[in-house]
Amino acid sequence: MRFYRSLLVVCGLLIGLAACRKGASVVPGDDTHVGADSLRNGFYLLNEGNMGMNLATLDYYNSSTGIYSSNIYSTINPGATKELGDVGNDLQIYGGKLYAVIAMSDKVEVMDVHTAKRIGQINVPSCRYITFYKGKAYVSSYATTAGGTSNVNGYVAEIDTATLQVIRTAGVGRQPEEMAISGDKLYVANSGGYSPGNFERTLSVIDMNTFKETKRIDVAVNLHRVKADQYGDVYVTSRGDYYALHSKLFVIDTRKDIVKDSLPLAVSDLWISGDSAYVYGVEWSYVTNKNTVSYGIVDIKNERVLTNKFITDGTDAQITTPSGIAVDPDSKEIYVTDGKDNLLPGTLYCFSPAGKKKWSVTTGDIPGHFAFVRN
């Protein structure tokens, strides 16, 4: 366990008192603030940790008390070897369980959603993202079904959420990333992200009745994020080629399975809340050798950009490298994480719906993935 996190408690209290949370202060606590069955009103935050350093950690923010607890997994699960693992890449809640995809450890850690106690693990090599459909979990993998990780096609694994065993697999494109369900179809972003000059550019469509790939939609190079809205569309991000082709956001009509629109803004991640998609972009360029950071809100009902700046008080100037985004389903507060230089603990910022900073707190390394839990 990373005990130095507890050293943040004393100075963190002073920071928390100035953090401007209405009616209370955000208190950076340690993992002792998390008791049995106490995780019922707040959110989990999965910190990725740098590749090869086994530093993925899990934090929890209690919305009722304002206490932010760091690195809770190790204390709650003292018998777990190597703690949470290497590179936390996705975090989702389904059926009373919390699923953390740990990419370089080739596993999905499964915990009780209200206690964070370990239930078991799903073994999927080179796993990337997870989604759910009718009692089953679906995990994208860079590997082939035979377990290889060379420049060949990846797959999606179907998992029984009761036994945590892989039932069957469906082949997709190279290095598949995020997925989304719309109707009875699964949409998978094929990236080819580790093949500069030879990126993938398709979105795989899997029929969930047969669990077979039925089509690949040509979209753009180096696809990454996929989110479904309530209007039968799927939003897909392209990271571009880091040279002449820039990052963009594409809209897929799932009735016709075609690209219906594109929006000219860089998107590294997006969070859909109601009719709005909150986005941030960290676009690297090998031409300028620097990142361009941006924020925005997209009206998903009318498919247009509402604003290119949802942080309205200038706090965005303090954020070095945004690494995660979320919107509270009840309060509509906006959360943005700063991964900084990817070597030191990050920062979580909370903004009002109007985009003004309410508080901030120190997180683990490269904070990136949220999961909200309610009673």
Side-chain angles (χ1 to χ4, degrees):
M1 185 174 66
R2 301 165 69 192
F3 291 102
Y4 72 86
R5 289 281 190 262
S6 62
L7 297 177
L8 297 171
V9 175
V10 175
C11 56
L13 286 169
L14 298 177
I15 296 172
L17 290 172
C20 303
R21 180 174 177 266
K22 282 189 177 181
S25 297
V26 173
V27 180
D30 56 26
D31 44 31
T32 60
H33 287 87
V34 179
D37 205 35
S38 65
L39 310 177
R40 290 184 172 274
N41 184 31
F43 61 80
Y44 292 97
L45 176 59
L46 179 64
N47 303 290
E48 295 184 6
N50 253 305
M51 186 181 298
M53 298 182 69
N54 200 55
L55 290 179
T57 57
L58 187 67
D59 298 349
Y60 184 79
Y61 172 64
N62 189 316
S63 299
S64 299
T65 64
I67 294 176
Y68 187 88
S69 301
S70 300
N71 196 13
I72 66 172
Y73 180 86
S74 300
T75 295
I76 294 174
N77 302 283
T81 58
K82 296 185 178 180
E83 300 185 13
L84 194 54
D86 191 6
V87 183
N89 207 64
D90 197 12
L91 188 69
Q92 301 290 336
I93 292 172
Y94 184 79
K97 298 185 180 78
L98 178 68
Y99 295 78
V101 178
I102 313 299
M104 299 305 294
S105 293
D106 300 325
K107 66 174 183 175
V108 180
E109 278 289 307
V110 184
M111 295 159 273
D112 181 277
V113 70
H114 292 307
T115 65
K117 290 182 179 178
R118 188 176 190 271
I119 294 173
Q121 74 180 44
I122 302 166
N123 298 311
V124 178
S126 299
C127 47
R128 300 296 294 170
Y129 291 90
I130 189 168
T131 192
F132 305 89
Y133 179 78
K134 294 185 177 180
K136 302 292 191 301
Y138 296 87
V139 177
S140 57
S141 170
Y142 278 4
T144 67
T145 53
T149 55
S150 60
N151 220 18
V152 293
N153 290 0
Y155 71 94
V156 175
E158 180 182 67
I159 294 109
D160 185 324
T161 55
T163 65
L164 305 184
Q165 298 299 308
V166 175
I167 304 169
R168 52 184 177 169
T169 61
V172 290
R174 283 185 294 114
Q175 294 155 353
E177 298 285 8
E178 196 167 47
M179 306 165 290
I181 295 283
S182 183
D184 59 357
K185 292 181 285 188
L186 176 68
Y187 293 84
V188 187
N190 300 312
S191 72
Y194 290 92
S195 307
N198 188 30
F199 291 117
E200 268 270 20
R201 54 177 300 121
T202 62
L203 187 71
S204 287
V205 183
I206 294 176
D207 183 331
M208 298 306 285
N209 296 312
T210 63
F211 199 52
K212 300 290 185 183
E213 183 187 48
T214 60
K215 183 177 182 178
R216 292 190 189 178
I217 305 169
D218 185 63
V219 182
V221 300
N222 200 5
L223 303 182
H224 184 198
R225 302 288 185 176
V226 187
K227 296 287 194 295
D229 70 12
Q230 60 181 318
Y231 300 109
D233 292 331
V234 165
Y235 285 75
V236 184
T237 70
S238 164
R239 290 174 286 201
D241 66 357
Y242 313 114
Y243 288 94
L245 298 176
H246 292 282
S247 174
K248 290 180 71 175
L249 181 63
F250 293 84
V251 187
I252 310 298
D253 182 334
T254 64
R255 297 169 186 85
K256 299 178 180 179
D257 283 340
I258 59 172
V259 177
K260 63 182 290 191
D261 203 355
S262 65
L263 299 172
L265 73 168
V267 180
S268 298
D269 201 0
L270 66 159
W271 187 284
I272 294 178
S273 176
D275 283 342
S276 298
Y278 293 77
V279 309
Y280 74 86
V282 182
E283 188 174 20
W284 172 259
S285 170
Y286 282 114
V287 177
T288 62
N289 284 313
K290 67 177 184 179
N291 283 320
T292 299
V293 177
S294 58
Y295 305 88
I297 303 176
V298 174
D299 176 351
I300 60 173
K301 185 175 182 179
N302 298 298
E303 296 163 17
R304 62 189 181 94
V305 178
L306 291 176
T307 179
N308 287 310
K309 192 172 184 179
F310 65 74
I311 299 174
T312 59
D313 62 358
T315 304
D316 52 314
Q318 302 173 21
I319 302 174
T320 306
T321 311
S323 53
I325 190 167
V327 179
D328 188 289
D330 298 325
S331 70
K332 304 304 178 183
E333 291 171 328
I334 307 162
Y335 295 94
V336 176
T337 58
D338 185 358
K340 299 186 178 179
D341 60 3
N342 293 347
L343 293 174
L344 298 172
T347 301
L348 166 67
Y349 291 87
C350 174
F351 297 94
S352 72
K356 299 185 183 302
K357 179 184 172 182
K358 298 184 69 175
W359 51 265
S360 64
V361 70
T362 300
T363 67
D365 297 354
I366 317 179
H369 309 280
F370 292 81
F372 288 88
V373 58
R374 295 293 185 264
N375 288 326

